[in-house]
Amino acid sequence: PGPGREIEIAVMKDAVGSDTAVCFSPPPADLVRGKTKEYRLGDDLMAALNGLSTFLEAHGLKETAILARPGRNAAPQRLFSGGPAFLTAAYWPEWDLSLKVRPGGFTQVNPEVNLLLVKAILEETARLAPGPKTALDLYAGSGNISIPLTRSGFQVTAVEQAAEGLQAARENAKGLNGLTCMGGQGEKVTLELARRGQAFRVTVLDPP
């Protein structure tokens, strides 16, 4: 739209299927503050996006969720009906384990490379000498590293600041023993855990 009014567009693709999501993050100039003090998209931007769902459907992309963030740290909101409720962020066939996220949530950009990343971490931890199998995962997101570590026998404390990432991690961890999800800034939570005298054999840092 012009200098200082750039719109960030994130495109997400399901790791194993064809579902997609498009999430717009407009600048403050294109947001309107309502009576409840919450922000919404401005009329000009909504008018510009109004034909997007029809355009996507005409190009065979019917199963696309269209969202926007009304603010830098705000959760993404659906603009139109349709599209998937969840996307597969990662899939580990050896455990028949799928990691799900809501459209607009954070995922690693390359599913194949992500599997290599997690595999490298698991191989490194498997080489440890016998001892406590405890791990701290900072910037844990939706459980991308925490859940495979837990599946491999570790007691894991996962720390995530973003509310949507923390919610996804807890949903993905249902029925899984050995994983504790904590909300908060990684640096502050780490200091608090240290004050409590907690120690971990492995610490994983995977910041955005």
Side-chain angles (χ1 to χ4, degrees), residues 153-191:
F154 275 79
Q155 297 285 318
V156 181
T157 298
V159 181
E160 173 55 45
Q161 184 174 3
E164 60 199 85
L166 186 65
Q167 181 185 5
R170 287 173 172 158
E171 289 175 354
N172 285 315
K174 285 181 179 176
L176 184 63
N177 294 322
L179 177 60
T180 302
C181 297
M182 298 181 66
Q185 189 177 7
E187 298 86 340
K188 293 180 180 178
V189 174
T190 301
L191 286 171

Side-chain angles (χ1 to χ4, degrees), residues 6-194:
E6 291 82 4
I7 299 173
E8 179 183 306
I9 303 173
V11 180
M12 299 173 63
K13 184 182 181 301
D14 192 277
V16 294
S18 59
D19 289 345
T20 54
V22 181
C23 185
F24 296 88
S25 296
D30 287 295
L31 299 174
V32 177
R33 194 172 189 181
K35 293 180 180 179
T36 59
K37 297 185 179 180
E38 293 184 350
Y39 286 90
R40 63 176 177 83
L41 301 188
D43 294 338
D44 289 346
L45 184 57
M46 279 301 298
L49 296 176
N50 214 19
L52 187 57
S53 57
T54 304
F55 172 84
L56 291 170
E57 187 171 345
H59 286 76
L61 296 170
K62 185 176 181 180
E63 290 304 310
T64 301
I66 304 171
L67 311 98
R69 288 183 183 274
R72 180 179 293 274
N73 297 316
Q77 300 177 2
R78 284 181 182 260
L79 299 184
F80 311 102
S81 60
F86 292 93
L87 292 170
T88 305
Y91 175 68
W92 292 275
E94 62 267 37
W95 297 312
D96 191 25
L97 172 64
S98 294
L99 192 74
K100 300 290 187 181
V101 294
R102 295 182 186 276
F106 176 80
T107 66
Q108 295 291 338
V109 69
N110 188 315
E112 290 79 14
V113 173
N114 180 56
L115 293 181
L116 295 176
L117 168 74
V118 175
K119 181 181 178 183
I121 293 170
L122 296 181
E123 288 176 347
E124 189 72 22
T125 56
R127 287 194 287 267
L128 289 171
K133 297 191 73 172
T134 56
L136 174 66
D137 182 15
L138 302 176
Y139 316 99
S142 56
N144 182 54
I145 297 171
S146 303
I147 290 175
L149 266 177
T150 306
R151 282 293 187 104
S152 69
F154 275 79
Q155 297 285 318
V156 181
T157 298
V159 181
E160 173 55 45
Q161 184 174 3
E164 60 199 85
L166 186 65
Q167 181 185 5
R170 287 173 172 158
E171 289 175 354
N172 285 315
K174 285 181 179 176
L176 184 63
N177 294 322
L179 177 60
T180 302
C181 297
M182 298 181 66
Q185 189 177 7
E187 298 86 340
K188 293 180 180 178
V189 174
T190 301
L191 286 171
E192 179 57 33
L193 293 172

